[in-house]
Amino acid sequence: MSSINSPQFNIHTGNELTWNVEPLLHEIRHALQTYLDSGETSIIDLRSIPLAPGEEDTILNTLGQGEVHARLDVLGPSEIYETRYAGVWIVTHYNDDDNIISRFVEVTDSPDVLKSQREDVVDALNALVTELGTDKT
């Protein structure tokens, strides 16, 4: 039996297959510098970048976890944490079966998903006014 017609599989994990880990980390570094220089925020969609098995984990492990961690339950569960690099956040959204549906690296002071929406703040004020039996002054 000849091996010429047999398919050859070369399965790797890590940075060797796509070589996207290091450039992506440099992109995060540049985004952090831009944020410091101009205040411009950045969002990198990790699920839109071709990564080999294990590369996303390598990126997450390299960035590490910092002190801030939040879990939200709005239109499905979401997990947000600041990496060990202040201003660099990982935002992960899950479906009802706890499968990841999207994951982003956000370079900002605080991800938008954590910020109160103005309409919600208005509703909160109205509820507190009603609770206290006072007017808005």
Side-chain angles (χ1 to χ4, degrees):
M1 180 175 211
S2 170
S3 65
I4 296 173
N5 294 329
S6 300
Q8 298 296 314
F9 295 98
N10 189 5
I11 299 172
H12 293 279
T13 60
N15 197 29
E16 293 82 26
L17 194 55
T18 67
W19 298 95
N20 281 335
V21 171
E22 188 172 344
L24 185 59
L25 292 170
H26 281 285
E27 183 176 344
I28 294 167
R29 179 182 61 83
H30 287 291
L32 196 55
Q33 185 66 59
T34 299
Y35 177 68
L36 287 173
D37 292 345
S38 69
E40 180 182 338
T41 63
S42 299
I43 298 176
I44 301 167
D45 182 350
L46 287 178
R47 295 297 166 107
S48 70
I49 299 168
L51 296 172
E55 289 183 327
E56 185 174 291
D57 289 337
T58 298
I59 292 163
L60 297 176
N61 290 335
T62 300
L63 295 173
Q65 288 195 15
E67 299 173 352
V68 180
H69 185 124
R71 182 144 174 107
L72 304 176
D73 289 309
V74 180
L75 303 174
S78 297
E79 178 183 37
I80 300 96
Y81 66 87
E82 191 171 36
T83 69
R84 64 187 177 115
Y85 302 99
V88 179
W89 298 80
I90 304 297
V91 179
T92 306
H93 302 287
Y94 299 87
N95 64 16
D96 290 334
D97 296 325
D98 240 11
N99 297 313
I100 296 172
I101 56 173
S102 61
R103 179 171 277 153
F104 303 94
V105 175
E106 293 194 27
V107 179
T108 183
D109 58 346
S110 177
D112 284 342
V113 71
L114 290 177
K115 295 178 182 176
S116 296
Q117 302 300 309
R118 181 160 181 80
E119 297 81 19
D120 294 338
V121 175
V122 169
D123 290 345
L125 174 60
N126 291 333
L128 189 56
V129 165
T130 300
E131 182 77 23
L132 295 173
T134 62
D135 62 24
K136 294 182 184 179
T137 58

